[in-house]
Amino acid sequence: MLAAPEWSRPALAEAGAATFGRRPRWLAALLSDVFRGYPHRPADRPMELAEFIAAHLPARLPVRIVVRRAVPTRTVRMRWDTPVLDDLAALAELLELDGDRLDWLADRREMNRKTLREPLRHYRYTWMGRRLIEAPKPLLRGLQRRLLDEVLGRIPVHPAAHGFVPGRSVHTFAAPHTGRDVVVRIDLAHFFASISVQRVYGLFRSVGYPEPVAHALAALCTTSTPSDIARGSIALRTPHLPQGAPTSPALANLCTFRLDRRLTGLALSFGATYTRYADDLAFSGSFNAEHVIAAVKQIVAGEGFRVNPAKTRVRGRGDRQRLAGLVVNERPGVAREEYDRLRAILHAAARDGLDAANRDDHPDFRNHLLGRIAWVGHGSPARAAKLRELFGLVAATGL
C-alpha cells in the first residue's frame, strides 16, 4: 500500500491486485477499514500499518504474496526544529557512520550487551554503593553527544524540570520554595533504570521520526545491563536509560514531561508549588503534607515510576528546609556548617599548603576548591568575598 503511487482507493486496490496476483473479494472491505484508520499515507509507520491490516483481515485467511513492493520510510511531520531523518541511511549520514557500524552500535540484537567479553561491550560499569554508573565507551559517547546537541537539545522540556537544563540549576530548582510553611521532598527510586526503551522510542516517534529511525535512536541511547553486572536487578537487565550516558539526563527530562505536567496540576489544586531536579521532587506551600504525598505516589505509579519512601522529607518553618543541598528557609544557600568547613580547609591550605590540606586526595585540588567556593558563595556576596580572600592567601603562599 505504501508503495502505491498515491494514497487513494483505486491506487491501493491496484497495489493489492499486483501483490496477490488477483483482486480478492475481501480487499474492498479492508481498504474501507484502512481509509477510516489512515485518511493520509502513514509513510513514517509501516509496522503500525501492517499490524492494523493484520487485525482487520478475515479470520484464517489464506494469503499468498505474489509481488512484494516496498519503499523507504519518510518523515511526515516534525514537531520541532530537529533534523529530518527519513530512514536509517539518513541517520547513518548524520552520525557519519556506515550502515553496518550503525547496526553494531545500536546493538538491536543485544549481542554486545549479552557478551561476557568486556572489549566487545559498548559500556563500562562501575558500582558506586547501590548505584550503577554505565559509561559508554568513546565512540558511542561521541555519537550520543552529537544526538544531544543536534536532536535532544532542540526539544523543549517542562518548565518544572530544572536538572540538566541550560539556564537552570539547583538554585532555580530550590528558589521557588523559599520561605514556605511546608516543604516536601520526594525521591524517585531507580530513576534512569525506570525509563524503558519503549518510552524512549515513543518519545522519538512523538518528535516525528519514522519507526525504523526511532527504533535505532532509542537503541543508541539505551542499554541492557549484562547479567554478570546487574546483581539480579530486573530493571537493569531490561533496556533502560544508562546513568552515565550524555543523552540520559535530557531523555529523562523529556520522558517525564507528562509526569511534570500532572504533578504541576496537582500542586496547583493544593495551592502549592512544584519543581523537579532529576529524581528529586519538591512541593511547598500551606497544605496537608500527607494528602499531597499520597496523591503524588498515585500519579508517580501511574507514570511508571516509584517513590522511595525512605527519602521522603516533610519540613515546616521551624525545621531546616533543605532541597538539593540548599537550605531554603529564608533564601537558597548552603548550610552554615558547610561554609565553616570550607573556611577551615582554606585556612589549613594557606598555613600548610594545598597538598597537606588535600585530605581526600582530589586530583586537582586547586580547581576543586574554586568550585566549592563558587557553590558555597552563590547568592551570598559576603560569604563569596570572604572565601575568595582566603583563597587569595592560599595562592599567595605558592605551596
Side-chain angles (χ1 to χ4, degrees):
M1 289 183 177
L2 293 175
E6 62 180 28
W7 194 256
S8 66
R9 194 181 298 268
L12 265 62
E14 287 298 323
T19 299
F20 301 118
R22 61 188 180 88
R23 194 177 297 237
R25 279 182 285 181
W26 47 263
L27 183 59
L30 175 63
L31 291 180
S32 296
D33 291 334
V34 167
F35 272 93
R36 277 195 296 270
Y38 298 92
H40 305 287
R41 187 195 302 263
D44 60 337
R45 47 195 193 278
M47 293 172 61
E48 179 186 305
L49 177 61
E51 290 176 1
F52 182 92
I53 291 171
H56 287 78
L57 286 173
R60 296 189 301 278
L61 179 71
V63 174
R64 186 172 68 91
I65 305 297
V66 176
V67 176
R68 184 184 298 276
R69 293 190 298 166
V71 292
T73 55
R74 64 177 176 83
T75 303
V76 173
R77 179 179 64 92
M78 299 298 290
R79 294 181 63 184
W80 296 287
D81 182 28
T82 49
V84 174
L85 303 171
D86 286 328
D87 51 30
L88 292 178
L91 175 60
E93 183 179 356
L94 174 73
L95 299 177
E96 299 179 359
L97 298 171
D98 59 38
D100 290 339
R101 182 59 65 90
L102 174 62
D103 190 60
W104 178 68
L105 288 167
D107 194 23
R108 284 174 289 176
R109 297 171 186 161
E110 298 193 359
M111 295 173 64
N112 297 82
R113 307 177 195 196
K114 293 178 179 178
T115 181
L116 296 177
R117 298 175 62 188
E118 195 281 333
L120 297 180
R121 292 174 174 171
H122 293 322
Y123 288 82
R124 293 188 176 96
Y125 304 94
T126 305
W127 278 99
M128 302 184 68
R130 305 175 83 178
R131 180 168 297 190
L132 177 64
I133 303 301
E134 300 176 283
K137 292 181 179 179
L139 179 58
L140 181 57
R141 183 169 65 246
L143 297 182
Q144 290 174 341
R145 283 177 176 161
R146 179 172 292 189
L147 292 175
L148 177 62
D149 293 339
E150 300 192 27
V151 178
L152 300 173
R154 303 183 184 187
I155 307 173
V157 301
H158 195 278
H162 290 261
F164 318 105
V165 179
R168 306 180 200 175
S169 65
V170 291
H171 290 88
T172 62
F173 160 70
H177 307 287
T178 301
R180 298 302 184 92
D181 290 336
V182 178
V183 174
V184 176
R185 175 184 170 273
I186 298 173
D187 178 82
L188 298 179
H190 310 297
F191 182 53
F192 287 103
S194 298
I195 299 176
S196 66
V197 66
Q198 291 85 359
R199 188 174 296 200
V200 176
Y201 167 77
L203 169 73
F204 284 121
R205 283 290 295 124
S206 72
V207 173
Y209 288 118
E211 287 171 341
V213 176
H215 275 297
L217 287 170
L220 287 170
C221 297
T222 59
T223 189
S224 301
T225 309
S227 57
D228 60 314
I229 303 292
R231 295 184 179 177
S233 170
I234 296 176
L236 289 175
R237 292 176 64 181
T238 304
H240 61 276
L241 287 184
Q243 185 167 353
T247 45
S248 291
L251 281 168
N253 279 336
L254 295 170
C255 289
T256 52
F257 188 96
R258 193 171 71 170
L259 173 68
D260 288 332
R261 186 175 61 188
R262 293 182 66 185
L263 292 179
T264 298
L266 174 70
L268 289 174
S269 70
F270 280 93
T273 299
Y274 161 72
T275 59
R276 180 179 60 81
Y277 192 94
D279 54 0
D280 279 350
L281 317 179
F283 297 84
S284 65
S286 301
F287 49 76
N288 185 306
E290 289 185 6
H291 292 171
V292 169
I293 293 171
V296 168
K297 286 181 178 179
Q298 199 168 30
I299 291 175
V300 164
E303 292 297 321
F305 295 95
R306 184 169 60 85
V307 167
N308 183 352
K311 292 187 177 181
T312 299
R313 299 287 185 270
V314 179
R315 297 292 182 263
R317 277 189 180 275
D319 305 314
R320 175 177 287 180
Q321 298 171 329
R322 191 164 185 156
L323 294 172
L326 299 175
V327 179
V328 297
N329 291 69
E330 297 179 3
R331 56 178 172 76
V334 301
R336 175 76 192 195
E337 303 92 282
E338 188 171 349
Y339 169 67
D340 289 340
R341 278 196 299 270
L342 182 55
R343 284 185 60 194
I345 292 172
L346 291 170
H347 276 298
R351 183 183 66 245
D352 305 321
L354 284 171
D355 289 341
N358 186 11
R359 296 182 179 178
D360 293 327
D361 294 324
H362 290 284
D364 189 350
F365 191 49
R366 181 181 293 270
N367 281 330
H368 169 74
L369 288 178
L370 288 172
R372 290 278 302 275
I373 289 170
W375 165 251
V376 174
H378 189 282
S380 176
R383 281 185 176 183
K386 179 63 177 176
L387 294 172
R388 283 195 296 268
E389 179 185 345
L390 289 171
F391 186 80
L393 296 175
V394 174
T397 64
L399 298 176

